[in-house]
């Protein structure tokens, strides 16, 4: 689905092809009937005009009945055409639109939320690699797919309508064609050739003008979608950080940002309005000339020379009217086509971004060095990292972090320490395949489940039980297991609300505090029993007692888990009884990560000094002096 036509045909060749083709065939049949009904209506309008014009003719023995009959038939045909057939077609086409959009939506959801973390990689594209990250993915999936599918169906129905009208109207024009003075060499086909020539000259010229205006509208539509998507995205982000804006009194700054983003919308919209108004004026002139002048001109010569009676003249003009209307369909829907093209461009860009990152390392290699190797080994040997170097984008980027050989045995707890910005989180991301640039080998214990707990916890709108069971399903665990995990994590007060998606009118993401969310992470860990646990400042919202309880719950319920943890503290926490939770420390200094054991049974201050990543003689001397004083 990397091209426009790929997106157009994918649904019809999917596993739901029966549904797609059934609805399409019904629409095609109804469109054909609609064109035929248009010919019947044109013929009957000619009959009505003729009966009114010759109402007082002596040869007309029943003028009132003839006129009323013609009038009633015109109304019946109009209702049949524009209410019954067109209404039914609208219903079926809307159903096709809904089904097609739903299928495309599911395809993009499946592609983005696969095991490859495509949603993550797709947002890290680079213009240097020729694959820039698509902006406003939510808007592309929600609005652009909806607009594209609806516009494509309308375009297809319009083209089919043109083809069927050309057939039925052309057939009728040929049957009623008469000789035209000056064009005697055409014989009886003179009037039909003249009519078709008028349509073939008038419509293409105006279509060319419409296409030029439509391209300007397309460019402005794309720009407007980008501007509106950016504004909506900022509003969503602002509402999520509403507390921080209020606490820092940053309303004026936020207001300025909103005004700037909306100013971009306003300027683009203003230009689009000017082009749209100009297009509407052009379309109005086109319709007047086409329906009032061009339609009646071809048969006028034959009518003046008595080659064509009034009934034939009016009927022929109505036929040309319908033909002009159908062939001008492209002109009438050019604004919609411009929107369709804009939407399809947005959707195909997203589809290309998804396809580009199916092999993440190959994708990142286009804008930097990405040469990570992931393997597995006997779980007895734990986790091993070999010759790891992490860098930023760019082929010649200097590594900011290196680790020659790090081994984490089964059941070992390791504390990552280093100055802010030294690469602690980047190291954990790289181990989990979420860092794009660098090289090295990461060997996982075979068959061991891993769990990554980040500092910021975002909760989807599902039940509390499902939140505890993530990333698994709530069917994987019984209520008693989940309740026990909540209790062990210190969230026992919420056990009776496990089946609820909200409480007191708030979803759980709004209901739970930062500390409670991190306790919820403990409940997940206790329930799912991972063998490899990564804690990326996962206790930042907890007080000292809460941090101890966090670690103790994991220690008591996951005895063989290997833990690699980042915390703000310079020293790893101990249990309430003074025992160490952690066995070793990885210190990062001067871009190098080295692993050392934590020295047990020493005063905490001495442990801190011995495990510093570089010599700190001044601290040692101060500590020695205090020991002597004691």
């Amino acid at each position: 689905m990397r091209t426009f036509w790929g997106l157009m045909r994918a649904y019809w060749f999917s596993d739901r092809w029966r549904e797609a083709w059934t609805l399409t065939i019904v629409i095609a049949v109804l469109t054909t009937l609609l064109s035929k009904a248009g010919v019947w209506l044109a013929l009957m309008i000619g009959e009505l005009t003729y009966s009114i014009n010759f109402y007082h003719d002596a040869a007309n023995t029943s003028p009132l009945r003839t006129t009323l009959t013609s009038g009633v038939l015109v109304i019946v045909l109009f209702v049949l055409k524009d209410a019954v057939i067109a209404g039914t077609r609208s219903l079926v086409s809307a159903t096709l639109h809904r089904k097609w959009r739903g299928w495309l939506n599911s395809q993009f959801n499946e592609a983005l939320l696969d095991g490859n973390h495509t949603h993550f990689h797709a947002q890290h594209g680079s213009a240097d690699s020729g694959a820039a990250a698509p902006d406003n993915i939510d808007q592309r999936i929600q609005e652009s797919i909806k607009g594209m599918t609806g516009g494509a169906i309308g375009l297809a129905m319009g083209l089919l309508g043109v083809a069927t009208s050309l057939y039925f109207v052309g057939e009728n024009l040929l049957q009623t064609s008469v000789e035209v003075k000056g064009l005697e060499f055409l014989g009886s086909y003179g009037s039909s050739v003249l009519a078709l020539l008028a349509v073939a000259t008038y419509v293409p010229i105006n279509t060319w003008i419409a296409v030029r205006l439509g391209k300007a509208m397309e460019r402005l539509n794309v720009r407007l979608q980008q501007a509106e998507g950016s504004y909506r995205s900022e509003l969503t982000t602002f509402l999520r950080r509403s507390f921080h804006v209020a606490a820092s009194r940053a309303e004026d700054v936020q207001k300025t940002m909103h005004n700037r983003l909306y100013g971009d919308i306003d300027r683009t919209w203003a230009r689009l309005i000017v082009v749209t108004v100009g297009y509407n004026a052009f379309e109005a002139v086109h319709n007047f000339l086409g329906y009032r002048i061009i339609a009646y001109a071809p048969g006028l010569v034959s009518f003046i020379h008595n080659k064509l009676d009034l009934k034939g003249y009016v009927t022929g003009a109505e036929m040309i009217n319908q033909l002009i209307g159908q062939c001008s369909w492209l002109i009438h829907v050019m604004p919609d086509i411009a929107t369709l093209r804009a939407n399809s461009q947005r959707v195909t860009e997203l589809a290309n971004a998804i396809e580009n990152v199916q092999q993440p390392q190959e994708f990142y290699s286009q804008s930097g060095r990405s040469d990570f190797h992931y393997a597995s080994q006997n779980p007895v040997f734990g986790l091993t990292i070999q010759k790891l170097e992490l860098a930023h984008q760019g082929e010649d980027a200097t590594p900011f972090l290196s680790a020659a050989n790090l081994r984490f045995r089964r059941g070992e707890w390791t504390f990552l320490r280093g100055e802010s910005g030294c690469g602690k989180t980047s190291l954990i991301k790289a181990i989990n395949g979420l860092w794009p640039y660098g090289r090295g080998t990461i060997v996982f214990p075979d068959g061991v489940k891993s769990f990554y707990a980040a500092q910021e916890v975002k909760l989807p709108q599902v039940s509390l039980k499902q939140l505890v069971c993530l990333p698994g399903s709530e069917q994987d665990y019984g209520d008693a297991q989940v309740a026990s995990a909540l209790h062990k994590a210190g969230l026992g007060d919420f056990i009776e609300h496990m089946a609820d998606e909200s409480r007191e009118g708030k979803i759980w993401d709004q209901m739970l505090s930062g500390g409670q969310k991190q306790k919820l992470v403990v409940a997940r860990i206790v329930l799912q029993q991972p063998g490899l646990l990564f804690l990326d400042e996962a206790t930042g919202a907890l007080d000292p007692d809460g941090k101890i309880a966090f670690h103790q719950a994991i220690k008591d319920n996951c005895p063989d888990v290997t833990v690699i943890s980042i915390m703000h503290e310079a020293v790893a926490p101990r249990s309430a009884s003074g025992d160490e939770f952690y066995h070793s420390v990885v210190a990062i200094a001067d871009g190098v990560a080295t692993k050392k054991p934590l020295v047990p049974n020493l005063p905490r201050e001495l442990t801190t000094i011995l495990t510093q990543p570089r010599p700190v003689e001044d601290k040692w001397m101060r500590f020695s002096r205090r020991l002597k004083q004691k």
Side-chain angles (χ1 to χ4, degrees), residues 165-278:
S165 290
L166 278 172
Y167 176 77
F168 292 125
V169 174
E171 181 185 43
N172 190 272
L173 286 174
L174 289 173
Q175 290 175 354
T176 58
S177 182
V178 295
E179 187 180 89
V180 178
K181 187 173 182 180
L183 299 176
E184 291 85 356
F185 65 93
L186 295 174
S188 61
Y189 293 108
S191 63
S192 61
V193 171
L194 199 60
L196 294 173
L197 184 62
V199 174
T201 303
Y202 180 71
V203 174
I205 292 175
N206 286 277
T207 300
W208 181 82
I209 298 173
V211 169
R212 301 292 294 180
L213 291 172
K215 287 183 177 179
M217 296 173 74
E218 177 190 344
R219 289 192 297 271
L220 291 171
N221 263 304
V222 171
R223 182 70 193 94
L224 186 60
Q225 286 191 27
Q226 292 172 338
E228 288 183 335
S230 297
Y231 185 42
R232 184 181 62 238
S233 177
E234 176 55 37
L235 283 173
T236 302
T237 304
F238 155 64
L239 293 173
R240 288 176 179 171
R241 62 169 188 258
S242 178
F243 167 76
H244 303 286
V245 173
S248 59
R249 301 181 183 275
E251 283 83 0
D252 287 342
V253 174
Q254 192 70 39
K255 191 189 307 178
T256 302
M257 191 183 306
H258 289 177
N259 289 338
R260 176 174 57 80
L261 291 172
Y262 189 79
D264 192 15
I265 294 175
D266 189 64
R267 289 187 295 272
T268 306
W269 197 3
R271 291 194 291 269
L272 181 60
I273 288 173
V274 171
V275 176
T276 302
V277 169

Side-chain angles (χ1 to χ4, degrees), residues 567-589:
M567 284 178 286
H568 288 300
E569 293 78 1
V571 178
R574 286 175 171 172
S575 70
S577 61
D579 295 330
E580 296 284 358
F581 287 119
Y582 289 87
H583 308 101
S584 56
V585 58
V586 170
I588 300 177

Side-chain angles (χ1 to χ4, degrees), residues 1 3-24 27 91-109 140-157 340-341 343-344 347-348:
M1 298 195 295
T3 64
F4 173 77
W5 290 113
L7 283 168
M8 291 300 103
R9 63 174 177 263
Y11 175 52
W12 279 262
F13 292 92
S14 69
D15 56 347
R16 290 167 60 177
W17 64 271
R18 290 184 181 85
E19 170 188 271
W21 283 107
T22 299
L23 292 170
T24 302
I27 292 172
L91 175 63
V92 178
S93 63
T95 301
L96 178 60
H97 183 196
R98 179 173 60 85
K99 298 287 188 181
W100 185 16
R101 180 196 174 191
W103 181 81
L104 270 178
N105 183 76
S106 67
Q107 296 303 300
F108 275 99
N109 276 332
R140 293 173 188 258
I141 293 178
Q142 177 64 20
E143 296 177 11
S144 297
I145 287 180
K146 180 181 179 182
M148 184 196 72
T149 50
I153 292 171
L155 176 63
M157 289 194 302
L340 165 63
R341 288 174 59 87
N343 284 322
S344 64
V347 177
T348 51

Side-chain angles (χ1 to χ4, degrees), residues 334-554:
M334 186 56 68
D336 297 324
I337 292 176
T339 304
L340 165 63
R341 288 174 59 87
N343 284 322
S344 64
Q345 179 180 331
R346 302 279 286 167
V347 177
T348 51
E349 284 175 354
L350 177 57
N352 278 313
I354 291 172
E355 291 291 339
N356 288 336
V357 300
Q358 291 310 298
Q359 300 296 329
Q361 290 202 41
E362 292 181 11
F363 171 71
Y364 290 123
S365 294
Q366 299 174 36
S367 55
R369 183 168 187 177
S370 183
D371 189 21
F372 295 104
H373 300 280
Y374 295 89
S376 61
Q377 62 186 1
N378 192 302
V380 171
F381 300 109
L383 173 69
T384 302
I385 299 172
Q386 300 171 342
K387 299 179 181 178
L388 184 68
E389 292 182 351
L390 303 185
H392 295 293
Q393 182 179 317
E395 290 291 341
D396 301 324
T398 302
F400 63 84
L401 176 63
S402 63
N405 190 12
L406 298 177
R407 295 181 182 275
F408 305 90
R409 67 182 185 276
R410 183 168 60 180
E412 180 182 8
W413 287 43
T414 304
F415 177 44
L416 264 66
R417 180 168 49 217
E419 296 180 356
S420 178
C422 68
K424 299 186 296 294
T425 296
S426 300
L427 176 59
I428 289 185
K429 286 182 177 179
I431 295 172
N432 286 273
L434 299 176
W435 185 261
Y437 302 108
R439 65 176 180 176
T441 300
I442 296 95
V443 186
F444 281 89
D446 190 27
V448 172
K449 184 192 299 184
S450 66
F451 190 102
Y452 190 146
Q455 178 181 15
E456 189 175 12
V457 183
K458 293 294 185 182
L459 304 179
Q461 190 172 346
V462 294
S463 69
L464 180 59
K465 181 182 178 181
Q466 178 65 79
L467 290 175
V468 179
C469 295
L470 288 174
S473 169
E474 58 184 340
Q475 281 75 39
D476 297 338
Y477 303 95
D479 289 350
Q481 292 174 288
V482 176
S484 175
L486 284 169
H487 175 72
K488 292 175 181 178
L491 296 174
D493 292 342
F494 297 102
I495 289 174
E496 61 184 21
H497 302 286
M498 285 195 305
D500 300 335
E501 291 188 3
S502 62
R503 186 183 178 191
E504 299 176 2
K506 296 181 180 180
I507 61 174
W508 291 108
D509 193 53
Q510 299 168 332
M511 180 69 190
L512 299 178
S513 67
Q516 288 172 326
K517 290 179 181 178
Q518 292 187 334
K519 289 180 180 180
L520 183 63
V521 171
V522 177
R524 290 178 182 171
I525 296 169
V526 170
L527 179 68
Q528 298 176 38
Q529 296 286 301
L532 191 56
L533 178 60
F534 301 93
L535 302 176
D536 188 358
E537 299 186 10
T539 61
L542 297 172
D543 58 23
D545 290 339
K547 292 175 182 179
I548 293 173
F550 183 102
H551 286 80
Q552 193 66 56
I554 297 173

